[in-house]
Amino acid sequence: PSPPLRLIRHTTIDHNMSTQLPEPGMTVFDYYGAALCVCAVIVASEHTVPAVAWCLLCLLLGSSFCCLYMAYRLASKGTLALGSRSEGNQYE
């Protein structure tokens, strides 16, 4: 049998806090970095008005709307494949 699990206890609060919490503000930058990438996909594959609406929803109301856009895209186009609006590709 394997040995029992042991809890590791550190003596300083600073060490505990530094290993558990991200750097202040980094999660905000991480989210908007990813959301802007999703918005770039939206702008590249949708017409102007829907693209602006979806991007505002993603940026202002959160990741649920990024997921909702992906579900919408899959349901309406049948794929998540990327294509250019100007080339008249088969996915539009």
Side-chain angles (χ1 to χ4, degrees):
S2 60
L5 295 175
R6 296 183 192 168
L7 295 176
I8 298 172
R9 296 181 188 220
H10 297 283
T11 56
T12 64
I13 292 176
D14 291 336
H15 176 74
N16 288 341
M17 294 300 285
S18 68
T19 58
Q20 295 175 2
L21 296 176
E23 199 171 312
M26 286 309 295
T27 54
V28 172
F29 290 123
D30 290 342
Y31 172 74
Y32 282 107
L36 287 173
C37 293
V38 172
C39 286
V41 170
I42 294 170
V43 168
S45 56
E46 299 293 333
H47 295 287
T48 306
V49 173
V52 169
W54 278 112
C55 288
L56 286 174
L57 288 170
C58 290
L59 294 172
L60 299 177
L61 297 179
S63 60
S64 299
F65 287 93
C66 295
C67 293
L68 188 62
Y69 171 75
M70 293 298 164
Y72 156 77
R73 173 104 179 141
L74 186 59
S76 66
K77 310 288 186 194
T79 183
L80 293 177
L82 299 178
S84 172
R85 272 187 296 161
S86 60
E87 292 176 7
N89 64 55
Q90 61 182 342
Y91 300 119
E92 286 206 36

